[in-house]
Amino acid sequence: VVSVDTDMAWIRRLQNLTGDSAGSRRLHQVHYAKTHAELHSFGFGNLWAVVLVDHRYGLRRHVDAISYARRAKIVVLHDAERLNEYAYRYEQGHVRDHFRYVCKFTLFQNKERTSWVSTLLLSNYIDLRYFDAAIFRKINTDFGLVGCDLSY
């Protein structure tokens, strides 16, 4: 696992969680990028397995996710609830148009199903129907099954 961030506070938190120091060869490597340009050029040319886009610059999230459309096998885009569209603009930014496979999975946080967290999985390489059949349909939480909406 490689984590790259422009926020030194997050770098320190990750290092404390993993016992990692910047650039060491542990299972989780943590790297500080001084600028967003440095962040986006990190590992350029690599095909990453999974990239998580979950940063504080909400209006850039869809742009950053799209930038990994051909650089990562799976892009995970957090906070995909429709009520968050004003903050992240995934729909307005047409993030789905840049990926062949899209799956939105939702995890309910209470029995009444009035509170939930949604995340998008996006890929041009992996048919995400596999995740729905092999993984999500088998996960049962206290509040019901995890759903993977392939039509999202």
Side-chain angles (χ1 to χ4, degrees), residues 2 14 28 31-32 34 38 40 50 60 63 66 71-72 77 81 83 87 94 107 120 127 142-144 148 151:
V2 177
L14 287 169
H28 187 171
H31 298 275
Y32 174 67
K34 293 179 183 139
E38 187 178 324
H40 290 287
V50 177
R60 275 206 55 88
V63 174
I66 291 167
R71 295 175 51 201
L77 196 50
E81 303 84 24
L83 58 98
H94 303 281
L107 179 63
L120 288 175
D127 186 343
D142 292 339
F143 310 122
C148 183
S151 65

Side-chain angles (χ1 to χ4, degrees), residues 47-108:
L47 178 61
W48 297 100
V50 177
V51 170
L52 168 65
V53 178
D54 183 23
H55 53 66
R56 78 171 78 184
Y57 305 105
L59 296 178
R60 275 206 55 88
R61 284 190 185 182
H62 71 277
V63 174
D64 293 338
I66 291 167
S67 76
Y68 286 101
R70 299 281 178 211
R71 295 175 51 201
K73 290 184 179 180
I74 297 175
V75 176
V76 180
L77 196 50
H78 188 49
D79 298 314
E81 303 84 24
R82 291 224 185 261
L83 58 98
N84 286 333
E85 176 64 18
Y86 74 95
Y88 303 114
R89 299 191 181 155
Y90 299 154
E91 290 301 305
Q92 187 177 350
H94 303 281
V95 71
R96 291 182 290 158
D97 296 350
H98 298 271
F99 295 89
R100 183 173 178 192
Y101 305 104
V102 178
C103 169
K104 178 180 178 181
F105 73 91
T106 299
L107 179 63
F108 291 100

